[in-house]
Protein backbone atom coordinates (compact mmCIF):
# COMPACT_ATOMS: atom_id res chain seq x y z
CA UNK A 1 0.00 0.00 0.00
CA UNK A 2 1.54 3.27 -1.10
CA UNK A 3 0.85 6.59 0.53
CA UNK A 4 1.38 10.15 -0.59
CA UNK A 5 3.17 12.64 1.62
CA UNK A 6 2.28 16.30 1.79
CA UNK A 7 4.70 18.81 3.28
CA UNK A 8 3.36 20.03 6.61
CA UNK A 9 6.55 20.67 8.55
CA UNK A 10 9.60 18.90 9.96
CA UNK A 11 7.82 16.11 11.80
CA UNK A 12 5.87 15.14 8.69
CA UNK A 13 8.97 14.00 6.88
CA UNK A 14 11.29 12.75 9.59
CA UNK A 15 10.83 9.16 8.48
CA UNK A 16 11.54 10.04 4.84
CA UNK A 17 14.92 11.44 5.80
CA UNK A 18 16.11 8.01 6.86
CA UNK A 19 16.03 6.99 3.21
CA UNK A 20 16.46 10.21 1.27
CA UNK A 21 19.39 11.80 3.04
CA UNK A 22 21.79 8.82 3.00
CA UNK A 23 21.11 8.39 -0.71
CA UNK A 24 22.11 11.99 -1.25
CA UNK A 25 25.30 11.50 0.75
CA UNK A 26 24.30 14.22 3.18
CA UNK A 27 24.08 12.27 6.39
CA UNK A 28 27.75 11.34 6.60
CA UNK A 29 29.29 12.71 9.79
CA UNK A 30 31.80 15.47 9.37
CA UNK A 31 35.36 14.18 9.78
CA UNK A 32 37.48 14.96 12.78
CA UNK A 33 36.46 16.50 16.11
CA UNK A 34 33.10 17.77 14.81
CA UNK A 35 31.68 14.23 14.75
CA UNK A 36 33.35 13.00 17.92
CA UNK A 37 31.73 13.18 21.33
CA UNK A 38 28.48 14.79 20.18
CA UNK A 39 26.17 14.96 23.18
CA UNK A 40 22.62 13.67 22.90
CA UNK A 41 19.79 15.90 24.08
CA UNK A 42 16.34 15.05 25.38
CA UNK A 43 14.05 16.76 22.85
CA UNK A 44 11.24 16.97 25.40
CA UNK A 45 7.64 17.56 24.39
CA UNK A 46 7.80 21.21 23.33
CA UNK A 47 8.16 22.69 19.84
CA UNK A 48 11.32 21.78 17.94
CA UNK A 49 14.04 24.42 17.70
CA UNK A 50 16.28 23.95 14.69
CA UNK A 51 20.04 23.92 15.25
CA UNK A 52 21.62 26.98 13.57
CA UNK A 53 23.60 26.13 10.45
CA UNK A 54 26.91 27.24 11.96
CA UNK A 55 26.38 24.81 14.86
CA UNK A 56 25.32 21.74 12.85
CA UNK A 57 28.81 20.24 12.73
CA UNK A 58 29.50 20.67 16.44
CA UNK A 59 26.06 19.79 17.80
CA UNK A 60 24.93 17.20 15.25
CA UNK A 61 28.15 15.75 13.85
CA UNK A 62 26.96 16.52 10.30
CA UNK A 63 28.60 18.40 7.46
CA UNK A 64 26.43 21.40 6.46
CA UNK A 65 28.20 21.64 3.09
CA UNK A 66 27.05 18.12 2.20
CA UNK A 67 23.59 18.94 3.49
CA UNK A 68 23.46 21.98 1.21
CA UNK A 69 24.32 19.64 -1.65
CA UNK A 70 21.46 17.36 -0.61
CA UNK A 71 19.06 20.32 -0.67
CA UNK A 72 20.22 21.15 -4.19
CA UNK A 73 19.94 17.53 -5.33
CA UNK A 74 16.41 17.18 -3.90
CA UNK A 75 14.86 20.59 -4.61
CA UNK A 76 11.26 19.39 -4.60
CA UNK A 77 11.47 16.85 -1.80
CA UNK A 78 11.17 17.91 1.84
CA UNK A 79 13.31 16.08 4.34
CA UNK A 80 14.28 16.50 7.95
CA UNK A 81 17.19 15.15 9.98
CA UNK A 82 16.72 14.59 13.69
CA UNK A 83 19.93 13.39 15.32
CA UNK A 84 21.08 13.15 18.93
CA UNK A 85 17.69 14.50 20.00
CA UNK A 86 18.13 17.68 17.94
CA UNK A 87 16.38 19.06 14.87
CA UNK A 88 19.56 19.32 12.82
CA UNK A 89 18.40 20.09 9.29
CA UNK A 90 15.25 20.86 7.32
CA UNK A 91 14.83 21.13 3.57
CA UNK A 92 11.69 23.15 2.82
CA UNK A 93 10.68 23.27 -0.86
CA UNK A 94 8.78 26.33 -2.02
CA UNK A 95 5.92 24.10 -3.18
CA UNK A 96 4.01 22.95 -0.10
CA UNK A 97 1.14 21.11 -1.80
CA UNK A 98 2.75 18.52 -4.08
CA UNK A 99 2.29 14.86 -3.22
CA UNK A 100 4.62 12.02 -4.11
CA UNK A 101 5.11 8.34 -3.41
CA UNK A 102 7.21 7.48 -0.39
CA UNK A 103 8.00 4.04 -1.87
CA UNK A 104 9.80 1.71 0.55
CA UNK A 105 9.55 4.17 3.43
CA UNK A 106 6.25 2.29 3.85
CA UNK A 107 8.30 -0.58 5.28
CA UNK A 108 9.32 1.74 8.10
CA UNK A 109 5.66 2.59 8.59
CA UNK A 110 4.77 -1.12 8.66
CA UNK A 111 7.33 -1.82 11.38
CA UNK A 112 6.20 1.25 13.32
CA UNK A 113 2.56 0.18 13.10
CA UNK A 114 3.43 -3.34 14.20
CA UNK A 115 5.14 -1.95 17.30
CA UNK A 116 2.25 0.42 18.06
CA UNK A 117 -0.31 -2.37 17.75
CA UNK A 118 1.80 -4.86 19.71
CA UNK A 119 2.12 -2.31 22.51
CA UNK A 120 -1.67 -2.14 22.81
CA UNK A 121 -2.25 -5.86 22.30
CA UNK A 122 -1.93 -8.47 25.03
CA UNK A 123 -1.35 -11.27 22.51
CA UNK A 124 0.86 -9.91 19.70
CA UNK A 125 4.64 -10.22 20.06
CA UNK A 126 7.39 -10.17 17.46
CA UNK A 127 8.63 -13.48 18.88
CA UNK A 128 5.34 -15.19 17.96
CA UNK A 129 5.63 -17.97 15.38
CA UNK A 130 4.10 -16.85 12.10
CA UNK A 131 1.84 -19.89 12.08
CA UNK A 132 0.13 -18.66 15.25
CA UNK A 133 -1.31 -15.86 13.15
CA UNK A 134 -1.34 -17.09 9.55
CA UNK A 135 -2.43 -20.31 7.91
CA UNK A 136 -0.05 -22.17 5.64
CA UNK A 137 -1.82 -20.71 2.61
CA UNK A 138 -1.72 -17.18 4.02
CA UNK A 139 1.96 -17.46 4.94
CA UNK A 140 2.96 -18.35 1.39
CA UNK A 141 6.74 -18.75 1.05
CA UNK A 142 7.43 -17.95 4.71
CA UNK A 143 9.25 -20.76 6.52
CA UNK A 144 6.85 -22.47 8.97
CA UNK A 145 9.50 -22.12 11.70
CA UNK A 146 9.79 -18.35 11.26
CA UNK A 147 8.69 -15.78 13.81
CA UNK A 148 7.11 -12.41 13.12
CA UNK A 149 10.53 -10.88 13.85
CA UNK A 150 11.89 -12.80 10.86
CA UNK A 151 9.13 -11.27 8.73
CA UNK A 152 9.97 -7.77 9.94
CA UNK A 153 13.63 -8.41 9.08
CA UNK A 154 12.71 -9.87 5.66
CA UNK A 155 14.52 -13.10 6.52
CA UNK A 156 11.52 -15.40 7.02
CA UNK A 157 11.94 -17.20 3.69
CA UNK A 158 15.57 -18.20 4.27
CA UNK A 159 16.37 -21.88 4.60
CA UNK A 160 18.44 -21.27 7.75
CA UNK A 161 16.80 -18.98 10.30
CA UNK A 162 19.56 -19.19 12.92
CA UNK A 163 20.80 -15.80 14.07
CA UNK A 164 24.43 -16.84 13.57
CA UNK A 165 23.83 -18.01 9.99
CA UNK A 166 23.25 -14.87 7.98
CA UNK A 167 23.71 -16.46 4.56
CA UNK A 168 22.12 -14.85 1.54
CA UNK A 169 19.53 -12.10 1.92
CA UNK A 170 17.17 -10.51 -0.57
CA UNK A 171 15.05 -7.39 -0.33
CA UNK A 172 11.27 -7.79 -0.28
CA UNK A 173 10.97 -4.87 -2.69
CA UNK A 174 7.23 -4.94 -3.38
CA UNK A 175 6.25 -6.40 -0.02
CA UNK A 176 4.26 -9.31 -1.43
CA UNK A 177 6.71 -11.97 -0.23
CA UNK A 178 6.67 -11.11 3.48
CA UNK A 179 5.93 -7.57 4.68
CA UNK A 180 2.41 -7.23 3.29
CA UNK A 181 1.40 -10.40 5.12
CA UNK A 182 1.72 -8.48 8.37
CA UNK A 183 -1.48 -6.64 7.41
CA UNK A 184 -3.48 -9.78 8.16
CA UNK A 185 -1.59 -10.31 11.41
CA UNK A 186 -2.23 -6.76 12.62
CA UNK A 187 -5.89 -6.91 11.59
CA UNK A 188 -6.35 -10.05 13.66
CA UNK A 189 -4.64 -8.51 16.67
CA UNK A 190 -7.02 -5.54 16.49
CA UNK A 191 -10.08 -7.74 16.03
CA UNK A 192 -9.15 -10.03 18.93
CA UNK A 193 -9.17 -7.14 21.40
CA UNK A 194 -11.50 -4.40 20.15
CA UNK A 195 -11.49 -2.69 23.56
CA UNK A 196 -7.77 -2.02 23.17
CA UNK A 197 -8.35 -0.30 19.82
CA UNK A 198 -11.30 2.06 20.27
CA UNK A 199 -12.65 3.67 17.14
CA UNK A 200 -10.83 1.41 14.66
CA UNK A 201 -11.53 -2.04 13.25
CA UNK A 202 -8.50 -2.70 11.06
CA UNK A 203 -4.91 -1.64 10.51
CA UNK A 204 -5.79 0.86 7.77
CA UNK A 205 -8.05 2.80 10.11
CA UNK A 206 -5.48 2.52 12.88
CA UNK A 207 -2.70 3.77 10.59
CA UNK A 208 -4.72 6.72 9.36
CA UNK A 209 -5.78 7.81 12.84
CA UNK A 210 -2.62 7.23 14.81
CA UNK A 211 0.17 7.59 12.24
CA UNK A 212 -0.73 9.15 8.89
CA UNK A 213 -2.91 11.96 10.27
CA UNK A 214 -0.21 12.81 12.80
CA UNK A 215 2.42 12.97 10.04
CA UNK A 216 0.23 14.98 7.66
CA UNK A 217 -0.21 12.10 5.21
CA UNK A 218 -3.24 11.21 3.15
Amino acid sequence: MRRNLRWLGPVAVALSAAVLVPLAGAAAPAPGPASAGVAADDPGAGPWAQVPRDQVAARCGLDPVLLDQANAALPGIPFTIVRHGKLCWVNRPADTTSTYHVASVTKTFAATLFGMIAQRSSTLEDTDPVREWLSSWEAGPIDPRATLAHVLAMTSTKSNLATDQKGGWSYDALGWREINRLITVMNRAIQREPAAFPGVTDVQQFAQRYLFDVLGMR
Side-chain angles (χ1 to χ4, degrees):
M1 177 176 64
R2 290 185 181 272
R3 287 277 172 175
N4 291 322
L5 183 63
R6 181 176 178 179
W7 169 246
L8 291 177
V11 176
V13 291
L15 291 175
S16 298
V19 173
L20 296 173
V21 177
L23 289 178
S35 61
V38 176
D41 291 348
D42 180 351
W48 287 96
Q50 186 173 348
V51 174
R53 187 185 188 284
D54 61 358
Q55 299 177 29
V56 166
R59 295 179 58 190
C60 299
L62 299 172
D63 186 339
V65 175
L66 289 178
L67 292 170
D68 283 334
Q69 293 173 10
N71 285 6
L74 304 168
I77 299 178
F79 65 85
T80 295
I81 302 176
V82 176
R83 193 174 194 222
H84 302 305
K86 308 174 185 75
L87 178 57
C88 295
W89 196 265
V90 178
N91 183 36
R92 294 185 178 91
D95 178 5
T96 62
T97 59
S98 293
T99 59
Y100 54 93
H101 289 307
V102 295
S104 279
V105 175
T106 54
K107 292 181 174 64
T108 302
F109 294 140
T112 301
L113 286 168
F114 183 93
M116 293 169 69
I117 291 172
Q119 190 274 331
R120 291 165 171 78
S121 170
S122 66
T123 60
L124 180 63
E125 298 282 352
D126 63 356
T127 53
D128 292 344
V130 171
R131 291 301 171 82
E132 285 188 7
W133 292 91
L134 299 175
S135 68
S136 175
W137 179 81
E138 291 170 326
I142 294 175
D143 190 300
R145 302 165 298 167
T147 67
L148 295 176
H150 287 112
V151 178
L152 287 163
M154 291 182 280
T155 59
S156 65
T157 60
K158 291 175 56 176
S159 59
N160 190 335
L161 299 174
T163 56
D164 60 344
Q165 298 293 326
K166 295 186 182 298
W169 182 84
S170 63
Y171 185 58
D172 186 15
L174 299 180
W176 67 267
R177 189 185 71 202
E178 297 169 89
I179 298 297
N180 289 353
R181 299 176 195 274
L182 290 174
I183 295 172
T184 300
V185 173
M186 291 186 283
N187 280 340
R188 287 178 177 159
I190 291 171
Q191 291 155 9
R192 282 184 183 181
E193 299 179 275
F197 301 91
V200 301
T201 59
D202 59 36
V203 67
Q204 286 186 302
Q205 294 176 9
F206 182 89
Q208 190 64 58
R209 180 171 181 176
Y210 293 105
L211 184 60
F212 297 140
D213 285 349
V214 175
L215 295 177
M217 299 179 68
R218 58 181 175 83

